[in-house]
Amino acid sequence: MPSFLKYLFLLLVVSTPCFARQEAMITLDPTDYVGISFWTISMAMIASTVFFLMESLRMPSKWRTSLVIGGLVTLVAGVHYFYMRDVWVLYQTTPIVFRYVDWIITVPLQMIEFYFILIAATSVSFWIFWRLLLGSVVMLLAGYLGEIGAVDPWGGFVVGMLAWFFIIYEIFLGEAARSASTHGDKTLNTAFHAMRLIVTIGWAIYPLGYVVGYLVPVVNDEALNIIYNIADFVNKIAFVAVIWVAADKQLKQETASLT
Ligand SMILES: *C/C=C(C)/C=C/C=C(C)/C=C/C1=C(C)CCCC1(C)C
């Protein structure tokens, strides 16, 4: 199957740099639970990438782009996790810059996924995408400035929360919500509702990490990184898994209606 081989080759090319860069001697202490969580999640990200890219090939065409973008999200995150793990293991410090470079690439990609889910079944204006993008950029910029101490941690937190609420408003009450509730495609609606839950409940894990990392009297780097790591696992892998489940369901329905 030529397209299958094409993907395999692509994956090989893309993944080589992440395995070929081992300049420092890295070892993992069995009691370093944060380091182990970095390691485990880096592997989960790479494995999910292979899965989502491969599976996109057999899905109905309107789901394919979302799954490929989802695979890019887990790929970009996976490579960042290799670097973040090294920073943690070598220096036991929070890899703030790698974390935010990862987020500033992957969160907008997820907004594109959202947009593709919407346009797969209905006509929405491209403005939705720009508003979601604007909200996420402001949210992440505020968090970053708060974490590096360029602004007061509370200031970064408040602005970040407001931007997040704006995104929630947009997908529950704004144009995105209205167009999703008016089209008739059941699998797309299910995917849209599940994605909304991820942005609301799944994303809520991040501010929680920020609070224990920066806003409580005794700040805790270990808790901060464990919480962010769990959040990334849920919000990157589960986010795409939701799309995969919906696509798979539709494929089965289509196959059933043919026989
Ligand atoms: C793949 C990475 C994702 C989905 C990252 C999401 C990050 C957030 C939802 C961060 C949110 C924050 C706030 C809502 C308040 C201030 C601090 C942040 C940036 C941690």
Side-chain angles (χ1 to χ4, degrees):
M1 196 198 271
S3 60
F4 190 82
L5 284 177
K6 212 164 64 190
Y7 268 81
L8 203 63
F9 178 68
L10 181 82
L11 210 65
L12 205 69
V13 172
V14 172
S15 58
T16 312
C18 22
F19 302 110
R21 44 148 298 276
Q22 201 69 312
E23 56 294 304
M25 252 318 272
I26 304 290
T27 166
L28 202 52
D29 182 337
T31 62
D32 180 2
Y33 299 109
V34 182
I36 294 171
S37 78
F38 272 116
W39 193 290
T40 313
I41 291 170
S42 63
M43 288 307 129
M45 292 290 177
I46 297 299
S48 313
T49 303
V50 177
F51 182 77
F52 294 136
L53 291 184
M54 293 283 170
E55 286 289 281
S56 72
L57 293 171
R58 67 177 186 96
M59 292 304 182
S61 60
K62 68 176 165 188
W63 295 95
R64 244 173 248 163
T65 315
S66 300
L67 282 169
V68 170
I69 296 171
L72 295 182
V73 166
T74 50
L75 177 70
V76 170
V79 176
H80 279 89
Y81 264 84
F82 288 114
Y83 287 86
M84 290 199 279
R85 180 199 68 206
D86 290 3
V87 170
W88 179 266
V89 169
L90 288 170
Y91 312 111
Q92 303 281 303
T93 56
T94 300
I96 300 175
V97 182
F98 284 135
R99 181 83 77 186
Y100 275 87
V101 173
D102 172 2
W103 288 355
I104 205 72
I105 298 170
T106 52
V107 174
L109 280 173
Q110 292 192 321
M111 293 299 129
I112 296 177
E113 263 180 278
F114 242 127
Y115 180 69
F116 271 107
I117 292 291
L118 281 173
I119 57 168
T122 182
S123 59
V124 291
S125 78
F126 196 57
W127 266 108
I128 289 188
F129 168 68
W130 284 111
R131 285 199 297 269
L132 294 175
L133 183 71
L134 181 77
S136 34
V137 169
V138 171
M139 177 182 80
L140 295 176
L141 195 65
Y144 178 69
L145 295 176
E147 289 203 35
I148 63 168
V151 301
D152 178 67
W154 273 105
F157 184 71
V158 170
V159 174
M161 291 298 275
L162 288 175
W164 176 43
F165 292 149
F166 169 73
I167 297 172
I168 292 176
Y169 169 83
E170 195 55 46
I171 59 178
F172 275 90
L173 299 163
E175 189 193 346
R178 281 194 300 275
S179 44
S181 55
T182 50
H183 73 69
D185 190 320
K186 268 186 97 174
T187 42
L188 275 164
N189 264 334
T190 316
F192 184 72
H193 287 298
M195 289 192 301
R196 287 210 297 208
L197 284 184
I198 285 175
V199 172
T200 330
I201 296 163
W203 281 22
I205 310 171
Y206 293 99
L208 194 74
Y210 189 99
V211 168
V212 302
Y214 298 96
L215 302 181
V216 292
V218 184
V219 298
N220 188 334
D221 274 349
E222 296 193 350
L224 167 76
N225 283 287
I226 289 269
I227 294 173
Y228 277 175
N229 287 359
I230 292 171
D232 275 351
F233 184 83
V234 171
N235 292 296
K236 293 195 163 60
I237 297 176
F239 185 87
V240 193
V242 163
I243 299 171
W244 179 86
V245 168
D248 189 57
K249 199 167 157 194
Q250 187 157 63
L251 181 69
K252 289 200 175 106
Q253 279 167 6
E254 280 179 13
T255 324
S257 68
L258 285 177
T259 53

